Amino acid sequence: MSQRRRGKRLGFSQEEEEEEEDFILNQTPTCTQVQKNLERHSKSEVNQKAIELVQFLLVKDQKKIPIKRADMLKKVIREYRDVYSEIINQATRTLQQVFGLELVEIDAKHHIYILTSSLPRAEGENLCQNDETAKLGLLTVILSFIFMKGNSAKDSAVWEFLRWLRVKPGQRHSVFGDVKKLVTEEFVRQKYLEITPIPLTDPPEFKYQWGLRAAKEISKKDVLRFVAKIQGKDPTFWKSQYNDAEATS
Protein backbone atom coordinates (compact mmCIF):
# COMPACT_ATOMS: atom_id res chain seq x y z
CA MET A 1 0.00 0.00 0.00
CA SER A 2 1.40 3.40 -0.95
CA GLN A 3 2.28 6.05 1.61
CA ARG A 4 -0.45 8.28 0.24
CA ARG A 5 -3.03 5.52 0.57
CA ARG A 6 -2.01 4.97 4.21
CA GLY A 7 -2.32 8.67 4.90
CA LYS A 8 -5.73 8.79 3.34
CA ARG A 9 -7.01 5.99 5.50
CA LEU A 10 -5.54 7.43 8.68
CA GLY A 11 -6.35 11.10 8.52
CA PHE A 12 -7.81 12.42 5.29
CA SER A 13 -11.31 13.85 5.20
CA GLN A 14 -14.11 12.17 3.25
CA GLU A 15 -13.95 14.96 0.66
CA GLU A 16 -10.21 14.41 0.18
CA GLU A 17 -10.76 10.66 -0.15
CA GLU A 18 -13.37 11.24 -2.84
CA GLU A 19 -11.10 13.66 -4.67
CA GLU A 20 -8.33 11.05 -4.71
CA GLU A 21 -10.76 8.40 -5.99
CA ASP A 22 -11.88 10.82 -8.72
CA PHE A 23 -8.30 11.43 -9.73
CA ILE A 24 -7.59 7.69 -9.98
CA LEU A 25 -10.83 6.77 -11.78
CA ASN A 26 -10.69 9.69 -14.21
CA GLN A 27 -7.42 8.41 -15.66
CA THR A 28 -8.29 6.60 -18.90
CA PRO A 29 -6.58 3.18 -18.85
CA THR A 30 -5.10 1.71 -22.01
CA CYS A 31 -6.51 -1.50 -23.50
CA THR A 32 -3.47 -3.35 -22.14
CA GLN A 33 -4.06 -2.00 -18.63
CA VAL A 34 -7.74 -2.95 -18.74
CA GLN A 35 -6.84 -6.50 -19.83
CA LYS A 36 -4.21 -6.84 -17.08
CA ASN A 37 -6.69 -5.62 -14.48
CA LEU A 38 -9.32 -8.10 -15.64
CA GLU A 39 -6.81 -10.95 -15.43
CA ARG A 40 -6.45 -10.29 -11.67
CA HIS A 41 -10.07 -11.34 -11.11
CA SER A 42 -12.12 -14.27 -12.33
CA LYS A 43 -14.98 -13.58 -14.72
CA SER A 44 -17.46 -14.89 -12.14
CA GLU A 45 -16.14 -12.44 -9.53
CA VAL A 46 -16.61 -9.49 -11.88
CA ASN A 47 -20.09 -10.74 -12.87
CA GLN A 48 -21.07 -11.09 -9.21
CA LYS A 49 -19.96 -7.52 -8.47
CA ALA A 50 -22.03 -6.28 -11.42
CA ILE A 51 -25.11 -8.08 -10.06
CA GLU A 52 -24.50 -6.61 -6.58
CA LEU A 53 -24.20 -3.14 -8.10
CA VAL A 54 -27.52 -3.57 -9.94
CA GLN A 55 -29.19 -4.50 -6.64
CA PHE A 56 -27.62 -1.49 -4.89
CA LEU A 57 -28.76 0.91 -7.63
CA LEU A 58 -32.31 -0.46 -7.65
CA VAL A 59 -32.61 -0.05 -3.88
CA LYS A 60 -31.39 3.55 -4.11
CA ASP A 61 -33.77 4.24 -6.98
CA GLN A 62 -36.75 2.96 -4.99
CA LYS A 63 -36.24 5.89 -2.62
CA LYS A 64 -35.36 8.26 -5.50
CA ILE A 65 -32.03 9.01 -3.83
CA PRO A 66 -29.30 10.32 -6.18
CA ILE A 67 -26.40 7.87 -6.24
CA LYS A 68 -22.79 8.94 -5.62
CA ARG A 69 -20.00 7.14 -7.40
CA ALA A 70 -18.11 7.22 -4.11
CA ASP A 71 -20.91 5.17 -2.48
CA MET A 72 -20.85 2.63 -5.31
CA LEU A 73 -17.13 2.21 -4.74
CA LYS A 74 -17.22 2.00 -0.95
CA LYS A 75 -20.34 -0.10 -0.50
CA VAL A 76 -20.23 -2.43 -3.49
CA ILE A 77 -17.15 -2.38 -5.72
CA ARG A 78 -14.55 -1.98 -2.94
CA GLU A 79 -11.41 -4.00 -3.76
CA TYR A 80 -12.48 -4.31 -7.42
CA ARG A 81 -11.75 -0.65 -8.21
CA ASP A 82 -9.24 -1.66 -10.87
CA VAL A 83 -12.09 -3.14 -12.96
CA TYR A 84 -14.60 -0.42 -12.08
CA SER A 85 -15.39 0.42 -15.71
CA GLU A 86 -16.15 -3.21 -16.62
CA ILE A 87 -18.44 -3.63 -13.60
CA ILE A 88 -20.28 -0.40 -14.44
CA ASN A 89 -20.67 -1.46 -18.08
CA GLN A 90 -22.13 -4.85 -17.13
CA ALA A 91 -24.48 -3.32 -14.56
CA THR A 92 -25.63 -0.70 -17.08
CA ARG A 93 -26.46 -3.36 -19.66
CA THR A 94 -28.44 -5.35 -17.11
CA LEU A 95 -30.42 -2.30 -15.97
CA GLN A 96 -31.31 -1.46 -19.56
CA GLN A 97 -32.15 -4.97 -20.77
CA VAL A 98 -34.08 -6.17 -17.71
CA PHE A 99 -35.55 -3.12 -16.06
CA GLY A 100 -35.65 -0.64 -18.95
CA LEU A 101 -33.55 1.77 -16.88
CA GLU A 102 -30.56 3.92 -17.75
CA LEU A 103 -27.83 5.11 -15.38
CA VAL A 104 -27.47 8.85 -16.02
CA GLU A 105 -24.84 11.19 -14.56
CA ILE A 106 -26.54 14.42 -13.42
CA ASP A 107 -23.52 16.03 -11.73
CA ALA A 108 -20.25 15.50 -13.58
CA LYS A 109 -18.19 17.35 -10.98
CA HIS A 110 -19.28 15.24 -8.02
CA HIS A 111 -20.17 12.14 -10.07
CA ILE A 112 -23.78 11.80 -8.98
CA TYR A 113 -26.17 9.53 -10.87
CA ILE A 114 -29.87 8.71 -11.12
CA LEU A 115 -31.80 5.94 -12.87
CA THR A 116 -34.23 6.98 -15.61
CA SER A 117 -36.51 4.99 -17.87
CA SER A 118 -34.77 4.17 -21.15
CA LEU A 119 -38.04 3.27 -22.88
CA PRO A 120 -39.73 5.82 -25.17
CA ARG A 121 -42.75 7.49 -23.61
CA ALA A 122 -45.81 8.59 -25.51
CA GLU A 123 -46.79 12.24 -25.21
CA GLY A 124 -49.01 12.81 -22.19
CA GLU A 125 -48.07 9.52 -20.57
CA ASN A 126 -47.99 9.84 -16.79
CA LEU A 127 -45.48 8.63 -14.24
CA CYS A 128 -47.36 5.38 -13.77
CA GLN A 129 -45.56 4.12 -16.87
CA ASN A 130 -42.33 3.95 -14.85
CA ASP A 131 -44.06 1.66 -12.35
CA GLU A 132 -45.28 -0.56 -15.18
CA THR A 133 -41.76 -0.75 -16.59
CA ALA A 134 -40.43 -1.81 -13.18
CA LYS A 135 -43.17 -4.46 -12.87
CA LEU A 136 -42.25 -5.80 -16.29
CA GLY A 137 -38.63 -5.97 -15.17
CA LEU A 138 -39.60 -7.92 -12.05
CA LEU A 139 -41.73 -10.30 -14.12
CA THR A 140 -38.84 -10.87 -16.54
CA VAL A 141 -36.50 -11.71 -13.67
CA ILE A 142 -39.01 -14.23 -12.23
CA LEU A 143 -39.64 -15.87 -15.59
CA SER A 144 -35.89 -16.11 -16.22
CA PHE A 145 -35.39 -17.77 -12.83
CA ILE A 146 -38.16 -20.31 -13.54
CA PHE A 147 -36.80 -21.10 -17.00
CA MET A 148 -33.28 -21.68 -15.70
CA LYS A 149 -34.67 -23.98 -13.01
CA GLY A 150 -36.05 -26.27 -15.72
CA ASN A 151 -39.39 -24.48 -16.37
CA SER A 152 -40.63 -25.08 -12.83
CA ALA A 153 -39.60 -23.67 -9.45
CA LYS A 154 -40.91 -24.10 -5.91
CA ASP A 155 -42.48 -21.03 -4.34
CA SER A 156 -39.86 -21.10 -1.56
CA ALA A 157 -37.05 -20.93 -4.14
CA VAL A 158 -38.71 -18.04 -6.01
CA TRP A 159 -39.14 -15.98 -2.85
CA GLU A 160 -35.65 -16.75 -1.63
CA PHE A 161 -34.34 -15.48 -4.98
CA LEU A 162 -36.45 -12.30 -4.75
CA ARG A 163 -35.26 -11.66 -1.18
CA TRP A 164 -31.71 -11.89 -2.52
CA LEU A 165 -32.72 -9.08 -4.90
CA ARG A 166 -34.10 -7.23 -1.86
CA VAL A 167 -37.71 -7.62 -2.97
CA LYS A 168 -39.41 -9.05 0.12
CA PRO A 169 -42.96 -10.47 0.26
CA GLY A 170 -43.64 -9.23 3.78
CA GLN A 171 -42.64 -5.62 3.14
CA ARG A 172 -44.53 -3.04 1.09
CA HIS A 173 -42.41 -2.02 -1.87
CA SER A 174 -42.26 1.64 -2.93
CA VAL A 175 -42.85 0.73 -6.60
CA PHE A 176 -44.47 -2.72 -6.57
CA GLY A 177 -46.65 -2.15 -3.50
CA ASP A 178 -47.80 -5.51 -2.13
CA VAL A 179 -45.21 -7.74 -3.83
CA LYS A 180 -46.87 -11.01 -2.89
CA LYS A 181 -50.20 -9.83 -4.28
CA LEU A 182 -48.53 -8.60 -7.47
CA VAL A 183 -46.79 -11.94 -8.08
CA THR A 184 -49.42 -14.41 -6.90
CA GLU A 185 -52.54 -12.54 -8.07
CA GLU A 186 -51.83 -9.92 -10.75
CA PHE A 187 -49.21 -11.86 -12.72
CA VAL A 188 -51.37 -15.00 -12.43
CA ARG A 189 -54.54 -13.17 -13.50
CA GLN A 190 -52.65 -11.77 -16.50
CA LYS A 191 -51.60 -15.36 -17.38
CA TYR A 192 -47.88 -14.59 -17.10
CA LEU A 193 -47.50 -17.03 -14.21
CA GLU A 194 -49.15 -20.30 -13.33
CA ILE A 195 -49.06 -21.40 -9.68
CA THR A 196 -50.20 -24.89 -8.78
CA PRO A 197 -50.10 -26.84 -5.49
CA ILE A 198 -47.60 -29.66 -5.11
CA PRO A 199 -49.45 -32.82 -4.01
CA LEU A 200 -48.83 -34.36 -0.58
CA THR A 201 -46.86 -31.46 0.88
CA ASP A 202 -47.39 -30.34 4.47
CA PRO A 203 -47.24 -27.41 4.91
CA PRO A 204 -48.59 -26.84 1.40
CA GLU A 205 -46.01 -26.00 -1.27
CA PHE A 206 -46.56 -24.60 -4.73
CA LYS A 207 -44.73 -24.68 -8.04
CA TYR A 208 -44.33 -21.67 -10.31
CA GLN A 209 -44.36 -22.06 -14.10
CA TRP A 210 -44.73 -19.81 -17.13
CA GLY A 211 -48.35 -18.93 -17.86
CA LEU A 212 -50.00 -19.07 -21.28
CA ARG A 213 -49.39 -15.39 -22.03
CA ALA A 214 -45.70 -15.64 -21.13
CA ALA A 215 -45.31 -18.62 -23.45
CA LYS A 216 -46.85 -16.61 -26.30
CA GLU A 217 -45.22 -13.21 -25.70
CA ILE A 218 -41.76 -14.00 -24.31
CA SER A 219 -38.94 -15.69 -26.19
CA LYS A 220 -36.98 -18.29 -24.25
CA LYS A 221 -34.07 -17.53 -26.56
CA ASP A 222 -34.07 -13.91 -25.38
CA VAL A 223 -34.31 -15.01 -21.76
CA LEU A 224 -31.35 -17.36 -22.17
CA ARG A 225 -29.32 -14.64 -23.94
CA PHE A 226 -30.01 -12.29 -21.04
CA VAL A 227 -28.93 -14.84 -18.43
CA ALA A 228 -25.83 -15.68 -20.48
CA LYS A 229 -24.84 -11.99 -20.60
CA ILE A 230 -25.26 -11.66 -16.84
CA GLN A 231 -23.19 -14.78 -16.20
CA GLY A 232 -20.62 -13.97 -18.88
CA LYS A 233 -21.13 -17.31 -20.63
CA ASP A 234 -22.29 -18.61 -23.98
CA PRO A 235 -25.97 -19.72 -24.10
CA THR A 236 -24.83 -23.22 -25.09
CA PHE A 237 -23.30 -23.60 -21.61
CA TRP A 238 -26.80 -24.58 -20.42
CA LYS A 239 -27.49 -27.46 -22.81
CA SER A 240 -30.98 -28.33 -21.59
CA GLN A 241 -32.20 -24.71 -21.61
CA TYR A 242 -30.50 -24.05 -24.95
CA ASN A 243 -32.22 -27.04 -26.57
CA ASP A 244 -35.55 -25.99 -25.04
CA ALA A 245 -35.15 -22.42 -26.34
CA GLU A 246 -34.22 -23.66 -29.82
CA ALA A 247 -37.19 -26.04 -29.89
CA THR A 248 -39.72 -23.37 -28.94
CA SER A 249 -38.35 -20.55 -31.14
Side-chain angles (χ1 to χ4, degrees):
M1 184 184 293
S2 70
Q3 195 66 35
R4 185 177 180 184
R5 177 70 64 182
R6 287 195 198 99
K8 184 187 80 149
R9 289 186 182 277
L10 291 173
F12 282 30
S13 68
Q14 181 176 346
E15 186 177 349
E16 287 171 322
E17 288 183 20
E18 290 179 7
E19 285 177 359
E20 184 182 36
E21 290 288 5
D22 288 343
F23 175 79
I24 294 168
L25 292 171
N26 287 336
Q27 307 306 302
T28 304
T30 65
C31 292
T32 304
Q33 287 173 324
V34 170
Q35 189 58 41
K36 283 183 178 178
N37 290 343
L38 285 171
E39 287 172 0
R40 295 193 188 105
H41 310 284
S42 70
K43 187 176 285 188
S44 63
E45 289 173 335
V46 175
N47 291 341
Q48 180 60 34
K49 277 295 166 187
I51 292 170
E52 289 174 11
L53 182 58
V54 168
Q55 295 169 16
F56 176 77
L57 294 171
L58 289 173
V59 169
K60 288 288 186 183
D61 185 60
Q62 289 166 19
K63 300 175 182 177
K64 298 302 174 190
I65 299 172
I67 306 146
K68 291 183 178 180
R69 182 170 71 179
D71 287 339
M72 289 190 266
L73 289 164
K74 290 175 186 174
K75 297 179 180 179
V76 181
I77 295 175
R78 293 181 289 212
E79 69 272 21
Y80 292 80
R81 283 170 167 77
D82 57 339
V83 287
Y84 165 81
S85 60
E86 178 62 23
I87 293 169
I88 283 286
N89 288 340
Q90 285 194 32
T92 299
R93 285 196 299 270
T94 301
L95 286 166
Q96 191 165 31
Q97 292 166 1
V98 181
F99 296 97
L101 296 170
E102 186 176 353
L103 186 64
V104 177
E105 189 174 36
I106 58 172
D107 185 337
K109 181 181 178 182
H110 299 101
H111 302 290
I112 296 174
Y113 299 80
I114 60 170
L115 292 180
T116 64
S117 174
S118 61
L119 299 179
R121 294 177 67 184
E123 189 175 349
E125 218 170 10
N126 60 33
L127 291 174
C128 291
Q129 181 62 39
N130 287 337
D131 291 356
E132 292 307 312
T133 299
K135 287 180 181 179
L136 180 59
L138 179 66
L139 174 63
T140 303
V141 167
I142 294 171
L143 292 174
S144 299
F145 179 77
I146 293 170
F147 175 59
M148 298 308 292
K149 286 288 184 181
N151 292 314
S152 178
K154 285 186 177 181
D155 56 341
S156 55
V158 171
W159 289 111
E160 183 180 349
F161 173 65
L162 291 179
R163 285 189 190 95
W164 183 70
L165 293 174
R166 302 184 186 182
V167 177
K168 301 176 182 178
Q171 295 180 4
R172 187 165 185 82
H173 194 278
S174 59
V175 174
F176 305 132
D178 186 332
V179 179
K180 193 157 191 176
K181 185 176 181 180
L182 171 65
V183 173
T184 61
E185 294 182 26
E186 188 172 330
F187 288 164
V188 171
R189 186 172 63 251
Q190 294 169 341
K191 302 298 183 183
Y192 283 115
L193 285 178
E194 183 178 297
I195 302 176
T196 53
I198 300 173
L200 306 175
T201 53
D202 186 20
E205 292 185 85
F206 299 84
K207 66 178 178 181
Y208 284 45
Q209 295 173 295
W210 283 31
L212 294 174
R213 182 190 290 266
K216 290 288 185 183
E217 292 184 0
I218 297 169
S219 163
K220 288 183 176 180
K221 262 189 175 181
D222 290 342
V223 168
L224 185 57
R225 283 195 201 102
F226 157 67
V227 174
K229 283 183 179 179
I230 296 296
Q231 298 291 334
K233 295 176 181 175
D234 190 89
T236 56
F237 177 82
W238 297 275
K239 290 182 180 179
S240 175
Q241 286 84 353
Y242 180 79
N243 291 336
D244 185 1
E246 286 293 314
T248 55
S249 61

